[in-house]
Amino acid sequence: MKTEEFGVLESITTWAAEGRLPEMLPTKQARSVKTAAALIGAGRQMLREMSLEELSIDELCEEAGTTVGAFYRRFESKGDFFVTMQRVQTMRTEQSIRAFIARHPPGQSSLEMLCEDIVHETVDNFRSNLGVMRASLQHSREGMWKVIKESGDRYRSMLVLLLTPYMDGIPVAERQFRILFAYQALAGVLVHVVLNDPGPLSLGNKNIEKELLRLTHAYLTAK
């Protein structure tokens, strides 16, 4: 195959068997799931350089080393294929979040360390999933942001639980709002960069994490 299979073949097999990829047509053939993984990997790469409208099924299949017939045996439409890409992305992100939580056992971290990890994880998520994120945002009015938003809601709930004990000096009644707004500001900057790249810092600039950490930590500790 011409494109990496996104390194998630085993996970996709499990998620499909658990019914967590409902837009992917059911199959018991391992080869068919491997084809789906190759298509997802190819789609992710192609969307980094083009819009969802420009993504051709013919070109996608050529890039993935498969056939258009094989595509339609796995997905009824390009829309179903894209939602499956979103679901795979969010489940991969949630695996990363579980690892993040494990790195910070209760009472064994600091607000600055947590902010640094949160900013890094969030920027890395936008960078590694750039094409899918941009296409999702561009089609948000068509409901294409729903899967990612639901994952984000779960992430924000986790941040409230994780950060609240470390916010000494901030009234308890204010802590949840502070955390939620800090993440809204962090994600908002990255959404603006993905959609418009207005400068001064692009998503690929090594200083963007440093400045977003400064912004996030300063707000969470401001009196």
Side-chain angles (χ1 to χ4, degrees):
M1 295 190 177
K2 295 181 181 179
T3 306
E4 285 188 24
E5 294 170 11
F6 187 28
V8 292
L9 178 58
E10 184 177 346
S11 295
I12 289 175
T13 302
T14 301
W15 296 331
E18 294 173 347
R20 299 174 71 188
L21 301 174
E23 292 79 15
M24 196 168 89
L25 298 174
T27 181
K28 294 182 179 179
Q29 297 181 358
R31 183 176 64 181
S32 185
V33 178
K34 189 174 183 180
T35 297
L39 287 163
I40 291 168
R44 283 169 52 81
Q45 291 301 317
M46 293 173 73
L47 284 175
R48 296 183 75 88
E49 306 298 332
M50 64 179 66
S51 68
L52 185 59
E53 291 85 358
E54 293 169 330
L55 183 65
S56 157
I57 300 300
D58 287 343
E59 292 177 359
L60 170 68
C61 292
E62 181 179 354
E63 183 67 21
T66 190
T67 65
V68 173
F71 175 90
Y72 285 108
R73 284 193 292 274
R74 303 308 304 121
F75 306 99
E76 289 188 351
S77 66
K78 185 165 73 171
D80 284 346
F81 171 67
F82 183 66
V83 174
T84 300
M85 293 175 68
Q86 291 179 312
R87 291 193 191 282
V88 170
Q89 172 187 314
T90 57
M91 285 187 279
R92 290 267 289 178
T93 298
E94 289 174 16
Q95 287 178 333
S96 179
I97 290 169
R98 288 192 289 273
F100 164 60
I101 294 171
R103 291 195 297 272
H104 298 281
Q108 297 185 34
S109 192
S110 68
L111 186 61
E112 185 171 6
M113 289 170 60
L114 285 164
C115 286
E116 185 175 358
D117 217 353
I118 290 164
V119 169
H120 174 74
E121 287 287 325
T122 306
V123 172
D124 185 64
N125 186 39
F126 273 78
R127 282 175 175 161
S128 60
N129 299 298
L130 174 61
V132 176
M133 295 290 267
R134 182 169 53 223
S136 300
L137 288 162
Q138 289 171 337
H139 294 271
S140 60
R141 292 185 179 180
E142 302 159 38
M144 290 292 193
W145 188 246
K146 181 181 177 183
V147 171
I148 294 177
K149 181 184 182 301
E150 289 173 349
S151 177
D153 290 343
R154 293 189 291 272
Y155 183 46
R156 285 187 288 274
S157 297
M158 180 276 293
L159 291 181
V160 170
L161 294 174
L162 194 61
L163 291 173
T164 297
Y166 294 95
M167 294 181 65
D168 297 332
I170 305 299
V172 173
E174 293 182 18
R175 293 181 187 183
Q176 178 172 331
F177 175 83
R178 286 279 191 112
I179 294 164
L180 294 176
F181 185 73
Y183 186 76
Q184 182 180 3
L186 168 61
V189 169
L190 293 170
V191 165
H192 190 29
V193 170
V194 165
L195 288 177
N196 304 306
D197 198 14
L201 298 179
S202 66
L203 191 60
N205 191 296
K206 65 181 182 180
N207 291 318
I208 196 167
E209 285 192 36
K210 180 179 71 174
E211 296 307 321
L212 285 172
L213 173 59
R214 190 198 305 270
L215 181 154
T216 303
H217 187 261
Y219 174 71
L220 287 176
T221 55
K223 298 296 191 289

